[in-house]
Amino acid sequence: MIENPMILFPLLILFLPLISFVIVIFFGKKLPRQGDWVAVGSIVTTFLLACYLFLQMLLNYDPDFSHGASFSWINLGEFKIDLGILVDNLTIVMLLIVTLVSSCTHIFSIAYMKGDIRYNRYFAYLGLFTFSMNGIVLADNLISMYMSWELVGVSSYLLIGHWFEKDSASNASKKAFLTNRVGDIGFFIGIMLLYSAVGAFAFSPIFESIAGGQAIAGTTLTIAGLGIFMGAVGKSSQFPLHIWLPDAMEGPTPVSALMHAATMVAAGVYMCVRLFPIFTPSALIVIAYIGAITAILAALIAVSQNDIKKVLAYSTVSQLGFMILAVGTGVYTAAFFHLLTHAMFKANLFYCSGSVIHSMHHALHKAHDHDTDPQDMRNMGGFKDKMLITYFSMLVSTLAIAGVPLFSGFLSKDAILAGTLSFAQHHPGHFLLPLFGFLAAALTAFYMFRLIFMTFHGEPNIKSIMKDIHESPKEMTGPIVLLGSLSFFIFYTLPKNFNPMKDKGWFTDLIVPRNSAVPGSLTANEIADYAHHAHYLAMGLSLVVASIGILLAYLIYQRKVISAKNISERFGFFYDWSLNKFYFDENYNRYLYQPFLRLAHTISWLDWEFYDKYFINGFGKLTKLLSTISGRFDYSGIDQGFVDGFGRASNTVGKLLRNVQTGRLQNYLLFVVAGILVIIIAQAF
């Protein structure tokens, strides 16, 4: 029996969602309210357990805290696989993020999904998804992580395609699943390369072996690291596998909040943070540029989108790019810090957008309007007074993501930009990294305040529905208020200080950077020291670019001093590219999907029309012909000719002999005489 709460509670956090999944999926229809209380109760319990672990972490205040447990799963001589859990400060913080956002999602979904035809199945899949994510967080080895990794992919497929009656939802779920498979192949190859060199799947032996520099190093280690990173490219929607995440908006809005804030997309960043010691400097450069390109590319797309969820979706892609950029430049604790703050304000932004969409659906339904898109911001405007709780909560989270002081996003984004700037100062050839970072920060402030002004300010674009626009029920506003409150800086700087311009607090004390296991890499102290020297410059530039972005959005969409239409016409070419997402889907379809589809059709033709028709079927026909000939030879030649002929001859001879044997003595004497004469004549000749 496990008595240590630091092992028992994480195990309960891991398996309670799985238990709720089994109960709700098999018995939900027979339970009151289709078993939603089972799902909500189990997830809220995991959140309370995570809070206990978090409180213990704060009370102990030990940056080196670590507990683990494992058992043998497969033992085939030298080939062994152990499954286990690792509980340290990183794990506890991530468990708190996952369980909090998952709990809010479950509660939010009670009102949002009311009346859905697959209500119980929806809550069951949420439990499976949470179980899978907790499995990634608690894994102490690559196999455990990979199994949970794949299960996250399966459960996300089920949730995105919840409304599979719609072709768009069905296609989006398949797109997400298949795109992630591309990254997961790389992830698996990286795992196998590490195992073939080290002979172990557990994190600690791998780190120790790499630090020794004997088992795996150089180019092989770089390739293994990039293979591992490919898994993050898929899950965290990084360039060039970013195309699935915006389409995932076809799932229910609470699912979008769950996936985009703290779970699926965060899995890739968490994995990179956990496995940071294995990445070589060469691999980190590639990672940094992938993150920088993703951040700026997604931000450029977001500025022109009109669907409120699409704006938030590309915002998520851009923010994940920030985190990956931080990993690549060595400040991976800043990446995890931004993952924490981003989880809170981004989940809230999705809940707020869900609140707006829910109100729009209600108003349009009352107006018998089934043609107007309830997610298009061009159909909104003037919602501020009608939805005060949603508005102020969304405004707070918008200020956080824009990097405004007093809010959480300022602390984490500043840490990333400082690390990026210091990296460029010591590697001048990579000046594009901070440039892309600051440009993405400016664009983030612009498109998020564009969303605020278009949705809540100005005159209503459809005045006929305004009388029916109202605040959402308390099941939806409760999580909104909670997560909006967690967008303030004090929750991340206490108990160290109340200074909103400094990121020092419990997080920076307990989540400390570790040295890379790769020989010759900069130490964690050296990286932190370089970033510290760039801190104030990065802070100043961050405030400047955020101010420019907010001011432009205010002048264009609030004061309307500058015409958005004129800008789009003047920059028509670039605007079209941004609006059409740089034609990634179209180009993938033209240069990747269609050629492979044609190749598949060609192979199919060769298989069915040539190989099967002429070889397989031809071989069958030849066999049939030979069988016919053989049968006829056997029947007509052997059976009828030889066997039956021998029988007939025997019968004839028998008849003749029977005629000869008359039974008369004189006949037998005659035969004897005749025989003697024949012998004499024969001897005479």
Side-chain angles (χ1 to χ4, degrees), residues 656-673:
L656 292 172
L657 291 175
R658 189 168 60 247
N659 291 329
V660 172
Q661 296 190 18
T662 60
R664 296 178 181 179
L665 183 60
Q666 56 268 35
N667 288 342
Y668 297 152
L669 291 174
L670 181 62
F671 291 147
V672 171
V673 173

Side-chain angles (χ1 to χ4, degrees), residues 311-586:
V311 175
L312 296 178
Y314 280 105
S315 169
T316 299
V317 176
S318 182
Q319 296 302 303
L320 289 167
F322 267 107
M323 301 174 207
I324 295 298
L325 173 60
V327 171
T329 52
V331 287
Y332 70 95
T333 55
F336 189 64
F337 191 19
H338 197 57
L339 188 154
L340 168 62
T341 61
H342 177 263
M344 306 306 161
F345 59 68
K346 181 52 61 70
N348 186 53
L349 288 169
F350 271 108
Y351 292 146
C352 290
S353 71
S355 177
V356 172
I357 295 168
H358 182 268
S359 186
M360 280 285 291
H361 268 297
H362 173 77
L364 291 170
H365 180 73
K366 278 205 155 186
H368 304 287
D369 185 350
H370 304 292
D371 299 320
T372 300
D373 186 355
Q375 297 183 185
D376 195 326
M377 295 184 296
R378 291 170 298 184
N379 299 326
M380 303 174 188
F383 286 8
K384 174 185 174 184
D385 295 332
K386 294 282 187 174
M387 307 180 71
L388 278 173
I389 296 175
T390 300
Y391 168 71
F392 281 109
S393 184
M394 197 168 197
L395 178 62
V396 167
S397 295
T398 299
L399 290 167
I401 195 174
V404 176
L406 302 181
F407 300 95
S408 59
F410 171 79
L411 302 175
S412 55
K413 188 174 288 187
D414 177 61
I416 292 174
L417 293 174
T420 307
L421 194 60
S422 69
F423 185 87
Q425 288 174 343
H426 290 83
H427 304 85
H430 300 296
F431 67 93
L432 285 177
L433 296 177
L435 178 63
F436 283 179
F438 283 106
L439 280 176
L443 291 169
T444 300
F446 172 78
Y447 65 68
M448 286 307 305
F449 272 90
R450 171 180 178 264
L451 183 152
I452 290 290
F453 293 136
M454 288 183 69
T455 304
F456 295 100
H457 290 262
E459 294 295 321
N461 289 302
I462 307 178
K463 295 182 180 180
S464 60
I465 66 171
M466 290 303 295
K467 63 181 185 297
D468 295 313
I469 297 292
H470 57 79
E471 188 60 86
S472 298
K474 61 181 182 296
E475 292 91 345
M476 297 172 68
T477 56
I480 286 173
V481 172
L482 173 61
L483 291 172
S485 302
L486 293 175
S487 295
F488 288 97
F489 79 97
I490 57 173
F491 294 100
Y492 311 93
T493 60
L494 294 176
K496 275 286 185 175
N497 62 74
F498 290 89
N499 188 344
M501 310 304 285
K502 292 185 178 181
D503 61 357
K504 294 295 182 183
W506 63 265
F507 183 91
T508 53
D509 284 348
L510 297 176
I511 310 297
V512 296
R514 308 295 182 187
N515 291 332
S516 172
V518 180
S521 299
L522 291 175
T523 65
N525 286 333
E526 288 174 329
I527 294 172
D529 189 54
Y530 293 155
H532 176 72
H533 288 303
H535 172 71
Y536 289 105
L537 177 59
M539 182 192 301
L541 291 173
S542 177
L543 290 173
V544 170
V545 298
S547 300
I548 292 173
I550 296 171
L551 180 62
L552 279 174
Y554 175 75
L555 294 174
I556 296 173
Y557 296 99
Q558 177 63 19
R559 294 294 303 275
K560 301 188 177 188
V561 177
I562 304 172
S563 173
K565 185 179 179 180
N566 290 341
I567 294 176
S568 63
E569 290 175 353
R570 180 171 293 184
F571 299 95
F573 176 79
F574 297 103
Y575 176 78
D576 289 340
W577 273 59
S578 172
L579 184 64
N580 292 284
K581 300 165 286 188
F582 288 93
Y583 298 97
F584 269 97
D585 287 303
E586 291 82 358

Side-chain angles (χ1 to χ4, degrees), residues 160-222:
I160 295 169
H162 178 74
W163 292 320
F164 56 79
E165 300 89 350
K166 298 192 302 179
D167 289 338
S168 57
S170 175
N171 292 333
S173 63
K174 289 184 286 187
K175 187 177 184 179
F177 187 82
L178 294 174
T179 304
N180 274 274
R181 296 289 71 72
V182 177
D184 294 350
I185 290 172
F187 191 10
F188 185 76
I189 292 172
I191 292 173
M192 290 299 104
L193 281 173
L194 287 175
Y195 178 78
S196 63
V198 178
F201 292 110
F203 298 150
S204 295
I206 292 174
F207 296 161
E208 292 170 1
S209 179
I210 292 173
Q214 299 175 351
I216 185 171
T219 304
T220 306
L221 181 57
T222 299

